[in-house]
Amino acid sequence: MLRGLLSAQSRLVPSTASPWQFVLQAQLCDEVLKNSDIWRNDYQWSLPVTFLAETQPPTALQWARRRGPGLNHAQLHSLFRKRQIKLFLPATAQIKSISERTQLPEGSQLLFPKQATAGQPASRLKSLSRPDLTTKAAFALAELLRQSVLHKDDELLVINKPAGLAVQGGPKVKMSLDKIMGSALSFGSLEQPRLVHRLDRDASGCLVIARTADSAAWLSQAFAQHATAASNPGAAYKGATVQREYIAVVEKSDHLALNPQGVIKDPLMGPGGSLQPATTLYRMLHSNDAVALMQLTPQTGRKHQLRIHCARALSAPMLGDARYGMTRNDVQRKVLADLNMFNSQIDTAKWQSDQPAGSAYARADQTTADMQDDLEKSSALSVMPLQLHCQTVCLQKPRQQAISVTAEPSQSMQTLMRLFKWRTA
């Protein structure tokens, strides 16, 4: 029907017409077709495009992935290449062909040919699979995650990620947050929770999770802008922003004793061996002869940035960091022995938060009660857990009140602070 209508309209302009006449022909075709039922009957319409006014508009490909009919990457590229995905512009009531890189204005809608989407669900919301909680460990971890929620609204969650829990799965990871959060953290929503940033497996603290596709878009943009902020210090940015603050227990060094506060600007190795700008603000909060409690504020978001900056720039590796430090040296052995001795005098059940199901310290089939039983039999640690904790996260959307969330440190860090009689502000 569409082909026939276009063919009929082509007869309105003679074959010898000028280029301007062909432009007029295209506009006339749009005028004729915009009121035709063909667009409603033969095309599936996306939701209207929305985005923060201060951020970049989404491209057609981005919106198709976010609010399209659930087509895979190859299918979308094929439709865009054949110009079969159309754009409806409400301001002019026109429908036109677009490329996948076209930036979409506010309120516009994408049109997908129903013939290409046959067999696909009407919305991505209904096609999301949720992992089954088939093991005791999964049930225990799901309950632990629900108890760890610090903030929940219509757009996002902030949880206090337990130390030892991997954020994303891998070949050697039995249990990870991305596998379990669909069942544990959906809270009745039709949309799947989405990761927008990462936290090291052995670190604990604030982790932001998007609850919708739209919030995932602006949160991802905020974290991406934060990660690369040092690369374009003069660039204007008016979108959502994110700021995180960490605390860490490190080995005390002569350099740190002489420079208890400052800024680290050592670049870090990026993909392909290129150097990437990396900036960290640091301040020593407490210390004794062997170790120190640090406040760390990353101005960029490079992989392992805080761990590398402490170990190399300050010569003060974090306790429990086997990758950039030496967990078996005299300092860490002494602190671990003191920690185990002190821990033997307190309720060992409080160590549960540092040893979730699926971590290196627990069996894969344990329930919360099983973990408790094992901990009561032997509370001594053979290796110091990584002492890195994301204490605070602050999210700011333009013209909206900031969201600031603070997480309690992991149980091992709390015990160290009690052992050394340290307090955080």
Side-chain angles (χ1 to χ4, degrees), residues 67-79:
R67 290 302 189 191
L71 299 173
N72 61 38
H73 189 75
Q75 290 172 317
L76 287 175
H77 277 293
S78 176
L79 290 175

Side-chain angles (χ1 to χ4, degrees), residues 241-245 392-396 402-405:
T241 58
V242 60
Q243 188 67 52
R244 287 175 288 176
E245 187 176 279
T392 304
V393 63
C394 183
L395 296 162
Q396 177 69 69
I403 299 172
S404 184
V405 181

Side-chain angles (χ1 to χ4, degrees), residues 148-151 158-160 205-206 245 247 389-394 403-409 424-425:
S148 72
V149 173
L150 304 173
H151 172 86
V158 181
I159 68 168
N160 187 356
C206 293
E245 187 176 279
I247 54 175
H389 175 73
C390 183
Q391 186 175 40
T392 304
V393 63
C394 183
I403 299 172
S404 184
V405 181
T406 300
E408 288 290 325
T424 57

Side-chain angles (χ1 to χ4, degrees), residues 140-150 159-167 175-177 180 185 199-207 209 351-357 359 361 371 385-386 388-390 407-412:
L141 180 55
E143 181 59 29
L144 182 62
L145 290 175
R146 283 189 283 267
Q147 294 174 4
S148 72
V149 173
L150 304 173
I159 68 168
N160 187 356
K161 186 191 83 69
L165 175 63
V167 172
M175 190 74 67
S176 60
L177 178 62
I180 199 72
L185 300 176
L199 198 59
D200 289 351
R201 173 176 180 161
D202 294 323
S204 60
C206 293
L207 183 77
I209 299 172
W351 284 86
Q352 176 185 326
S353 62
D354 263 2
Q355 303 179 34
S359 76
Y361 310 106
M371 298 177 209
L386 179 66
L388 176 62
H389 175 73
C390 183
E408 288 290 325
S410 64
Q411 193 61 46
S412 62

Side-chain angles (χ1 to χ4, degrees), residues 292-349:
L293 179 65
M294 302 291 295
Q295 181 185 75
L296 304 168
T297 307
Q299 301 299 295
T300 51
R302 308 302 182 190
K303 183 178 180 180
H304 296 172
Q305 175 178 319
L306 300 182
R307 295 163 65 181
I308 296 173
H309 275 178
C310 284
R312 297 177 182 173
L314 301 178
S315 300
M318 296 178 188
L319 298 192
D321 191 349
R323 184 163 188 169
Y324 302 106
M326 298 180 64
T327 58
R328 303 280 184 182
N329 63 18
D330 291 342
V331 171
Q332 299 213 27
R333 284 178 181 272
K334 176 65 166 59
V335 174
L336 181 60
D338 291 344
L339 180 64
N340 280 329
M341 182 176 296
F342 184 80
N343 182 59
S344 66
Q345 303 170 8
I346 64 175
D347 183 6
T348 58

Side-chain angles (χ1 to χ4, degrees), residues 29-49:
C29 287
D30 280 341
E31 284 295 319
V32 172
L33 293 175
K34 70 181 182 183
N35 295 319
S36 173
D37 288 340
I38 188 173
W39 297 113
R40 294 294 175 186
N41 296 336
D42 292 358
Y43 282 80
Q44 180 176 323
W45 294 51
S46 75
L47 293 175
V49 173

